[in-house]
Amino acid sequence: MDDAADSFDVICIGGAIIGSAAAYFLSESSDFDGSVLVVEPDWTYDKTSTTRAGNSIREQFSNPVNIKVSQFAMEFIENFHENTQVEDESPELNFRGTGYLFLATESGMDVLVEKHLIQEQEGATAQLLSVEELAKTFPYMSVEGLSGASYGGLNEGSFDGWALLQGFRKRAIHNGVTYIKDRVVAIETSGTRVTSVQLESGKHVSCGHLINSAGPRCDLIAKMVGLELPVEPRVRSSFVFACHEPIEQNVPLTITPEGVHFRREQQHYLTGTTPQADARADYDDLRVRSEEFEEQIWPVLAARVPQFDRISIVTSWAGHYSVNMLDHNMVIGPASTLENFYFANGFSGHGMQQSPAVGRGLTELITFGEYRTIDMSSLGYERVLKNEPFLELAVI
Ligand SMILES: Cc1cc2nc3c(=O)[nH]c(=O)nc-3n(C[C@H](O)[C@H](O)[C@H](O)COP(=O)(O)OP(=O)(O)OC[C@H]3O[C@@H](n4cnc5c(N)ncnc54)[C@H](O)[C@@H]3O)c2cc1C
């Protein structure tokens, strides 16, 4: 950073997918002509949620806002090259439209149908499948105990998350955004406004607006300005396995009634689940919970897909979900008592796909003081203070 540059219009605390999406959209906006600084201590992003994600995207949410948020991401993905190119080059996003498949037992059918009707109203392309249709479409799967499913179309699938991050970051830098390798250790305020941040290097940088995009450490940033944010780091383990008798067709991201998910990943398969013993994790605890595979995941896989009876783990890793303990949905927007401090936190397993809409939404709030495209005010900090959960039935 230029030594003279000790003041920026916007500072993002954290430059992984959310901080970089905000920086990207601010720098692309013709209505915003301010300066942007992204403070990020780890340029390898090794321990971030962003580099440990599954990078899937779906339309199959139950709340219209979440559906619209993902639909905007698909629009962004479709135009990814144009949106992120620098000197005619952009990273290879490699989107694969393989769909999501939500399986339901009889007790889950009402919710499945309820979600489907909302998705249909929002223009999503998912379709309901009877057990017979399910068995015909996915003959490798046992339909025992199932009553139906919801299968998404080409607007759902997976992509290269590192490419998405690099696309945002490189174009933002090209547009004039400054990235600095440093860490925010304190925040100074005056009345109802944030005035500056103090960096680990000792430098103070003043700002017009401050975005909390610190991922699983977001509650620590909130504490720096005296605010409580009920977002906790929770470990999620991912396992890639090889199947001795591979399945010769599309394997969409399938969510079983037990909450185990799996999909094809190149020539292997990716799987994970919500741990039975889910608890707040230490910020640096990235130990893979191998016992989850043995006890929770593999029995479900083998029962649902007979070919998954003979598999071997190829690799595994752990990452953090930032879980909003109120309702498992993001918190976006200004703090009511601190008008220029913005939350962009608590994404659980959805932050990669939600990053384009979040970056654009923050840009609108900072530029116009209101949302101009997707109204995300129901996802604001006010609901946290009032203890009023945002209702979303499809959280994985
Ligand atoms: C196993 C797993 C699977 C997932 N699968 C999906 C999926 O399929 N689809 C999907 O959409 N999402 C998925 N997610 C969720 C997604 O990865 C996250 O929601 C998203 O990456 C959150 O991004 P972030 O920028 O908020 O946080 P992070 O990526 O964690 O980045 C936070 C950044 O803030 C920086 N930081 C922290 N403290 C400070 C400070 N004091 N000063 C400056 N910088 C700081 C950190 O260094 C870090 O770079 C998954 C997550 C996991 C763990």
Side-chain angles (χ1 to χ4, degrees):
M1 185 170 64
D2 177 357
D3 275 349
D6 54 8
S7 175
F8 285 81
D9 293 300
V10 180
I11 296 180
C12 300
I13 308 176
I17 205 70
I18 296 297
S20 291
Y24 167 87
F25 278 95
L26 282 163
S27 70
E28 286 284 306
S29 169
S30 53
D31 295 305
F32 173 83
D33 62 358
S35 54
V36 181
L37 173 70
V38 178
V39 183
E40 170 56 56
D42 178 11
W43 287 19
T44 71
Y45 296 99
D46 180 35
K47 297 199 167 74
T48 63
S49 305
T50 295
T51 54
R52 289 160 183 265
N55 304 315
S56 296
I57 173 169
R58 61 179 154 117
E59 291 182 306
Q60 294 186 70
F61 286 92
S62 74
N63 190 301
V65 176
N66 278 339
I67 297 171
K68 287 188 179 84
V69 162
S70 280
Q71 285 173 335
F72 176 61
M74 267 313 299
E75 204 182 306
F76 189 83
I77 284 172
E78 272 160 25
N79 300 307
F80 186 70
H81 174 67
E82 199 181 319
N83 287 336
T84 62
Q85 64 177 305
V86 175
E87 287 162 14
D88 205 34
E89 285 192 9
S90 65
E92 183 50 67
L93 196 63
N94 195 20
F95 175 72
R96 302 168 293 271
T98 47
Y100 270 63
L101 180 67
F102 283 84
L103 307 177
T105 56
E106 199 181 339
S107 65
M109 282 307 288
D110 284 353
V111 171
L112 198 78
V113 173
E114 189 188 332
K115 285 189 298 188
H116 179 74
L117 293 174
I118 300 166
Q119 288 156 11
E120 222 173 30
Q121 272 168 16
E122 295 303 322
T125 55
Q127 46 177 311
L128 288 179
L129 299 183
S130 65
V131 177
E132 294 71 31
E133 288 167 324
L134 187 60
K136 207 169 147 203
T137 317
F138 303 102
Y140 59 82
M141 196 184 320
S142 158
V143 294
E144 203 184 319
L146 299 178
S147 295
S150 174
Y151 181 33
L154 292 174
N155 287 341
E156 298 184 326
S158 57
F159 54 87
D160 184 331
W162 181 251
L164 183 63
L165 172 63
Q166 290 307 318
F168 281 144
R169 195 177 188 276
K170 284 187 176 162
R171 176 82 165 230
I173 290 169
H174 174 76
N175 290 345
V177 169
T178 303
Y179 276 70
I180 179 176
K181 199 187 274 191
D182 214 326
R183 187 187 308 272
V184 170
V185 292
I187 300 171
E188 286 99 23
T189 60
S190 170
T192 59
R193 293 187 69 78
V194 166
T195 51
S196 61
V197 296
Q198 187 188 333
L199 304 181
E200 199 168 46
S201 59
K203 198 171 167 70
H204 289 254
V205 188
S206 53
C207 57
H209 304 265
L210 186 62
I211 297 175
N212 180 355
S213 46
R217 284 180 162 80
C218 60
D219 62 326
L220 298 178
I221 303 297
K223 277 200 177 76
M224 290 179 191
V225 290
L227 296 173
E228 284 299 322
L229 185 62
V231 175
E232 296 186 353
R234 298 273 174 125
V235 170
R236 292 293 179 269
S237 302
S238 298
F239 304 90
V240 171
F241 64 89
C243 179
H244 295 205
E245 197 191 327
I247 297 166
E248 304 293 345
Q249 69 168 92
N250 175 32
V251 178
L253 199 155
T254 307
I255 299 96
T256 74
E258 299 84 357
V260 170
H261 57 84
F262 60 89
R263 68 161 161 83
R264 190 190 296 285
E265 177 62 44
Q266 312 286 348
Q267 75 275 32
H268 299 313
Y269 305 87
L270 174 67
T271 188
T273 193
T274 306
Q276 266 154 9
D278 197 16
R280 185 188 178 108
D282 202 77
Y283 299 104
D284 295 313
D285 175 4
L286 287 167
R287 180 182 67 81
V288 178
R289 276 46 174 178
S290 304
E291 65 282 4
E292 264 171 36
F293 187 83
E294 299 299 327
E295 293 162 14
Q296 260 189 274
I297 297 176
W298 180 73
V300 173
L301 292 178
R304 193 51 70 203
V305 180
Q307 277 159 269
F308 288 167
D309 190 40
R310 290 180 62 238
I311 57 179
S312 44
I313 294 179
V314 175
T315 187
S316 59
W317 66 91
H320 286 136
Y321 271 18
S322 297
V323 179
N324 174 1
M325 299 312 291
L326 175 67
D327 55 22
H328 294 240
N329 277 273
M330 70 167 113
V331 181
I332 178 171
S336 23
T337 50
L338 217 47
E339 61 207 50
N340 59 343
F341 178 85
Y342 299 81
F343 295 100
N345 309 115
F347 296 95
S348 282
H350 313 135
M352 300 302 290
Q353 63 197 286
Q354 294 185 327
S355 61
V358 167
R360 186 178 66 172
L362 289 167
T363 298
E364 291 168 356
L365 287 176
I366 287 170
T367 311
F368 308 116
E370 62 180 17
Y371 290 112
R372 291 278 169 98
T373 51
I374 304 171
D375 182 359
M376 294 191 272
S377 36
S378 52
L379 286 157
Y381 186 60
E382 276 293 300
R383 82 179 191 286
V384 177
L385 294 177
K386 291 184 183 157
N387 205 24
E388 288 172 357
F390 172 91
L391 197 63
E392 171 55 66
L393 302 171
V395 172
I396 299 177

